[in-house]
Amino acid sequence: MTTHKPQGSARRRSAVAMTAAAALVLAACGNGDDGNGDGGNGTADNGGAEAAGGGTVSAYNCEPQNLMPSNSTEVCGSWVLEQLFTGLTQVDYETYEAVPGVATDWESNEDQTEWTFTLGEDWTFHNGDPIDANTFVETFNWVVDPDNAQQNTSFYDVIVGYEDVVNGDAEELAGVTATDDYTLEFELNEPFSPLPMMLSYTGFYPMPAEAFEDPESFEQAPVGNGRYQMDGEWEHDVQIAVDRYEDWPGEDPGVPERIEWQIYNDIETAYLDVQAGTLDIMDSVPPNRLSTMEADFGDNQTMFDTSSFTYMGLPLYQEEFQDKDVRHALSMAIDRQLIIDNIFDGAQVPAGNIIPPMLPSAREDACDYCDFDPEAAAELYEEADGPSELTIYFNSGAGHEDWVEAVSNQWQEHLGIENISFESLEFAQYLDLHDNQEVTGPFRLGWVLSYPSPQYAMEPIYTTGKSSNYADFSNEEFDNLIAEANAADPEEADSIYQEAEDILLEEMPVIPMFFQSQGVVHSDRIQHDSVQMDPRTFLRVEQLVVNEE
């Protein structure tokens, strides 16, 4: 999923619908494992046996923007929805392949424009309603209906009939059909080899009829088909509680009996609560706590490398940022390593690329304008008549204040910018500001891969009219290269995706900052060897083991 959390976001642009979310690839460090767990899709594998017991886990989360799968584009909501729902496919984070969810198998024609998915016959929603091929047809048609204004709509644009529906010329997607109760067929308007992987994304989860009848009420207590089911309603700014769904037909049911996401608007408070034992686990240690994390928690802490890409975006709809030399100068005036060393205690990786380092197609230092060169930056900024005043935007309560201020100090020191002010909002409101294009200066955001593909690292964020294009970037050559790579055989696609990445690094709609290493801390109630995080920065909360008390 989109999907990201307060360090990122995904969305579709305004009326058509980052981060997002939100998904990705990661390796753990600091505990001698690979960060992916033991099961086929990165979760604990108990061989299909019915789970018993398991206790209650309380976990840190931020306030989701919403809890409608087709409208969720950030990690805080998508993390919850992943436990409440199961899509056609899931992702194996050991092999980076799509594996069965509701669908048991699938196949395509030679040019990958026609796909057939066979569904399992024992799936139901938590209210007992059966799930069949027509469930997905009805869900997908509702999602793309422009009257419903769902943010994940643009993920469907590869399906035949998408443009007709969003333009009001048709009521249903011509390219999605149920040929019988458990066979679902897709016809695509272009070759798209990542389809099975993409269908694991939050925006393609099946939804019951009640979701379409009253969406606002539904997302207060979503009825899904996942490992866990809602217990009561979403208590805004307080908690979201779920219980294990004992009739889930998958092979790896949840381990905890109950999960309670405690919602915090200040990450520092959550850290102190874990330290005090009143919160079991948190997945986003504040940057200022990374240097003391081991002293504070001993063995109850771990660092995970993730695909979480942090950037300073630039609103290209603002005249003062339309000259790419201004964007280059802003990038070259940032000493990323100094910020990482002083603020993150070395727990980040400087970004000289867009494609996350753990993907096979990633290249180190692909960026010509990401090295710190203050003299060249100052000269370029002056020649391009860069703005003398800036407002910098970031989401509050997630530990970004210090490093964003450090960037502003460097810009003032090296570029002679006279005045810099700051605007910060809680994450859900922050995304609304972007949706309305009300951001007037550099903005902090991030992106987390919802599935492990360079296509997802770039297409939803930078392609014209696509999801999460907060910078409002549009480049025909880039768009064409993405389409070409999507149609290519996997062994040929990587080099084409790299050509597309080169355009991004030259045009620089966003300034790459760093790839995140994420700290996780937990109380004594949680068995340390059960703590895992996948590349999306999703803590695998469904596999946590609670110590007997």
Side-chain angles (χ1 to χ4, degrees):
M1 79 181 55
T2 24
T3 68
H4 21 281
K5 54 177 64 170
Q7 71 263 24
S9 149
R11 69 165 176 104
R12 77 148 167 53
R13 296 199 326 166
S14 53
V16 199
M18 54 3 118
T19 125
L24 345 222
V25 272
L26 98 75
C29 57
N31 66 348
D33 58 35
D34 66 3
N36 293 322
D38 300 319
N41 66 342
T43 61
D45 184 359
N46 55 18
E50 182 175 338
T56 297
V57 170
S58 63
Y60 159 82
N61 203 355
C62 67
E63 173 76 353
Q65 189 181 28
N66 58 64
L67 284 182
M68 177 67 74
S70 52
N71 210 29
S72 178
T73 59
E74 43 76 34
V75 171
C76 303
S78 295
W79 184 25
V80 175
L81 291 169
E82 183 183 57
Q83 300 303 330
L84 295 174
F85 292 85
T86 301
L88 283 167
T89 62
Q90 303 179 86
V91 177
D92 184 329
Y93 287 105
E94 294 180 348
T95 65
Y96 304 148
E97 295 177 348
V99 295
V102 175
T104 58
D105 56 81
W106 50 88
E107 60 183 4
S108 73
N109 63 351
E110 186 174 351
D111 71 356
Q112 301 173 102
T113 59
E114 297 177 3
W115 293 78
T116 300
F117 287 75
T118 302
L119 278 56
E121 299 183 13
D122 50 359
W123 288 85
T124 67
F125 289 108
H126 299 146
N127 62 6
D129 291 351
I131 295 175
D132 57 19
N134 197 54
T135 304
F136 286 92
V137 173
E138 292 176 351
T139 297
F140 296 168
N141 283 322
W142 187 87
V143 172
V144 299
D145 185 339
D147 290 342
N148 299 322
Q150 299 299 287
Q151 295 191 86
N152 284 317
T153 299
S154 62
F155 281 89
Y156 289 75
D157 69 349
V158 72
I159 299 172
V160 166
Y162 169 82
E163 292 293 340
D164 292 336
V165 175
V166 298
N167 291 332
D169 298 326
E171 294 185 357
E172 297 183 347
L173 291 165
V176 181
T177 55
T179 57
D180 60 42
D181 286 347
Y182 297 102
T183 304
L184 186 66
E185 293 190 349
F186 291 85
E187 183 182 358
L188 309 183
N189 52 42
E190 60 188 48
F192 190 70
S193 58
L195 181 67
M197 189 72 74
M198 186 177 73
L199 290 174
S200 69
Y201 175 60
T202 313
F204 294 94
Y205 290 158
M207 292 188 286
E210 63 189 82
F212 317 136
E213 295 164 0
D214 189 351
E216 292 185 5
S217 295
F218 177 79
E219 71 170 327
Q220 303 311 308
V223 176
N225 65 320
R227 293 175 179 84
Y228 290 85
Q229 59 183 337
M230 290 287 293
D231 178 23
E233 293 192 346
W234 168 14
E235 298 177 57
H236 289 269
D237 297 307
V238 179
Q239 76 164 2
I240 299 169
V242 299
D243 293 328
R244 190 174 58 217
Y245 182 55
E246 304 298 350
D247 293 327
W248 189 72
E251 295 185 355
D252 48 356
V255 177
E257 214 168 357
R258 179 178 174 85
I259 301 167
E260 296 174 352
W261 281 279
Q262 302 298 317
I263 298 171
Y264 289 78
N265 60 19
D266 183 73
I267 199 169
E268 182 75 16
T269 302
Y271 184 88
L272 296 175
D273 282 355
V274 180
Q275 208 171 2
T278 57
L279 181 68
D280 289 330
I281 192 164
M282 73 174 300
D283 62 344
S284 304
V285 169
N288 65 307
R289 293 286 187 171
L290 292 172
S291 61
T292 64
M293 187 173 74
E294 185 172 1
D296 291 342
F297 286 91
D299 292 337
N300 292 348
Q301 51 83 33
T302 306
M303 287 296 297
F304 292 93
D305 292 338
T306 77
S307 69
S308 179
F309 172 58
T310 297
Y311 61 85
M312 293 296 292
L314 297 163
L316 304 188
Y317 49 84
Q318 295 287 121
E319 183 177 357
E320 58 265 45
F321 301 106
Q322 291 175 3
D323 187 337
K324 68 179 179 181
D325 283 344
V326 170
R327 308 194 291 268
H328 293 163
L330 288 168
S331 177
M332 292 190 293
I334 301 172
D335 188 339
R336 294 160 176 78
Q337 192 61 57
L338 182 65
I339 293 173
I340 290 171
D341 292 341
N342 290 346
I343 295 177
F344 295 100
D345 196 38
Q348 306 282 347
V349 177
N353 49 326
I354 300 289
I355 299 174
M358 62 278 298
L359 292 185
S361 54
R363 300 167 295 165
E364 292 185 7
D365 301 321
C367 176
D368 291 334
Y369 305 103
C370 295
D371 290 334
F372 179 52
D373 191 343
E375 291 81 11
E379 182 178 351
L380 194 60
Y381 199 74
E382 183 177 3
E383 291 176 353
D385 193 25
S388 60
E389 297 184 354
L390 291 176
T391 299
I392 301 178
Y393 295 76
F394 63 95
N395 53 292
S396 61
H400 301 303
E401 291 82 355
D402 289 346
W403 76 259
V404 170
E405 184 177 358
V407 169
S408 73
N409 291 339
Q410 292 182 3
W411 281 345
Q412 287 186 296
E413 177 183 357
H414 303 306
L415 301 179
I417 297 174
E418 297 172 3
N419 182 55
I420 295 181
S421 58
F422 301 93
E423 291 283 347
S424 64
L425 293 170
E426 292 185 11
F427 193 52
Q429 290 74 35
Y430 185 62
L431 292 185
D432 291 338
L433 197 69
H434 285 283
D435 287 339
N436 297 325
Q437 290 196 342
E438 295 175 356
V439 172
T440 62
F443 54 88
R444 187 230 69 86
L445 269 178
W447 184 252
V448 181
L449 295 180
S450 292
Y451 48 89
S453 168
Q455 172 265 333
Y456 193 78
M458 295 185 289
E459 183 171 4
I461 324 176
Y462 311 106
T463 303
T464 304
K466 287 282 191 173
S467 305
S468 293
N469 195 344
Y470 287 120
D472 204 31
F473 178 67
S474 180
N475 182 285
E476 184 177 0
E477 184 181 2
F478 172 82
D479 294 350
N480 290 338
L481 283 169
I482 290 293
E484 181 182 351
N486 289 346
D489 292 333
E491 59 270 18
E492 300 172 357
D494 281 355
S495 63
I496 305 172
Y497 284 125
Q498 289 170 348
E499 290 182 51
E501 182 186 31
D502 287 338
I503 292 176
L504 293 179
L505 294 172
E506 171 63 31
E507 295 297 322
M508 200 160 276
V510 306
I511 298 171
M513 287 299 301
F514 17 78
F515 289 97
Q516 184 173 6
S517 297
Q518 195 144 321
V520 176
V521 294
H522 61 86
S523 71
D524 289 334
R525 293 189 69 247
I526 303 299
Q527 285 190 19
H528 182 68
D529 59 5
S530 72
V531 178
Q532 301 294 335
M533 178 178 283
D534 68 30
R536 302 165 297 174
T537 74
F538 279 16
L539 183 69
R540 304 312 309 175
V541 65
E542 80 281 1
Q543 72 178 44
L544 292 174
V545 176
V546 177
N547 289 316
E548 295 183 6
E549 299 182 13

